Amino acid sequence: MCRPRPGQQTVTGTATTRTDDPERATLDKATAENFPVAPFFLPRAWRTDLMAVYGFARLVDDIGDGDLAPGGADARLLGVSPERAEDRPALLDAFEADLRRVFDSTPRHPLLRRLQPTVRRHSLSPEPFLGLIAANRQDQFVRRYETYDDLLAYCELSANPVGRLVLAVTGTATPERIRRSDAICTALQIVEHLQDVTEDLGRDRIYLPAEDMKRFHVQEADLATATAGASVRALVAYEAQRARDLLNEGAPLVGSVHGRLRLLLAGFVAGGRAAVQAIAAADYDVLPGPPKPGKLRLLREVGVTLRGEG
């Protein structure tokens, strides 16, 4: 539902990389996402549109993280010279320019051409797509967040637009559902940050608010150790509770819809809850690697969420 990022909790397999087909290489990563992107039980039209949205979100994240397939095919498609193929801000600028063509002409990149019928079918606006680009542009220059409110503002760009697009594609967007969706997406983004403290630090990024690190007497060097000390664990527990509260705030979204969409949204909420429980089961030591919930725990959480419990 929210910002894609492969490699943490594999759903159906492992992504493949094909430098000769950048569109396929990006879409293949859907198999390694935290949650199924367009599960089989959804109507085919929804699956098509959700995969189009996924392709956009996955590619913009890959540009922002420097994870494009080698060879520069995406840069060429976007009209970026080989000399600037590793220049992330330049690639993001070119990608934004191509996104704008989705709304008034013909885009260059095949993933954006795939997105165009979805945009037209559902009268989607540029704003959520521009938000995801802005989040990745921000990642190039902002590597620390002073306050929790600063982090929430980042999540407003990096995660919430995808949930809003899911509601738009399924024709279920209302102001109240959008508010609930935003809470879920922000929670999932915070959980991802907690799972990926070590990976993010390797990219010189810290998504734990600096004011909270000070409160719990955590230094940046404490995040670079093999296992977490008591202060780091207390900090992670504090942030995990924030994510849990947001998931509970957003959970009524599930009961507000019906049919297959209800199952899909329950899976997102349940995935977040199960991940928080996995972090707690690891005694909040996330530094050795992301704690992962088992399938049984995830299925139990789906049941709890569908029943409106928890």
Side-chain angles (χ1 to χ4, degrees), residues 274 293-302:
K295 290 183 178 180
L296 182 58
R297 167 56 64 187
L298 181 58
L299 289 173
R300 285 175 178 168
E301 286 300 323
V302 169

Side-chain angles (χ1 to χ4, degrees), residues 16 25 34 100 127 165 257 268:
T16 61
N34 283 354
R100 294 186 184 278
E127 281 70 27
L165 285 166
V257 299
F268 293 131

Side-chain angles (χ1 to χ4, degrees), residues 3-153:
R3 186 179 183 182
R5 192 164 187 175
Q8 296 160 8
Q9 181 186 330
T10 302
V11 177
T12 57
T14 307
T16 61
T17 300
R18 288 176 51 190
T19 58
D20 60 325
D21 186 350
E23 179 183 16
R24 188 72 262 155
T26 299
L27 294 177
D28 280 349
K29 294 181 181 181
T31 61
E33 293 294 351
N34 283 354
F35 313 105
V37 173
F40 70 92
F41 57 79
L42 293 180
R44 179 174 294 181
W46 284 6
R47 295 201 311 269
T48 297
D49 289 333
L50 290 175
M51 280 301 295
V53 169
Y54 169 80
F56 172 89
R58 178 69 269 155
L59 182 56
V60 72
D61 263 16
D62 284 350
I63 293 172
D65 288 340
D67 289 338
L68 293 175
D74 291 293
R76 288 193 299 274
L77 287 166
L78 294 171
V80 176
S81 67
E83 295 77 18
R84 305 191 71 186
E86 303 297 325
D87 185 337
R88 298 181 199 177
L91 287 168
L92 289 168
D93 288 346
F95 192 59
E96 179 176 333
D98 209 29
L99 168 68
R100 294 186 184 278
R101 295 185 189 100
V102 170
F103 295 88
D104 60 22
S105 56
T106 302
R108 295 172 175 173
H109 199 287
L111 284 171
L112 293 179
R113 290 198 295 272
R114 174 188 286 260
L115 179 65
Q116 193 166 48
T118 296
V119 164
R120 291 174 174 172
R121 197 156 33 240
H122 301 284
S123 300
L124 301 180
S125 69
E127 281 70 27
F129 302 103
L130 291 171
L132 293 172
I133 294 174
N136 279 276
R137 190 175 280 121
Q138 185 168 312
D139 277 337
Q140 309 311 308
F141 306 104
V142 180
R143 300 182 179 275
R144 305 290 188 275
Y145 290 84
E146 181 62 30
T147 69
Y148 182 60
D149 284 343
D150 292 338
L151 185 64
L152 292 181

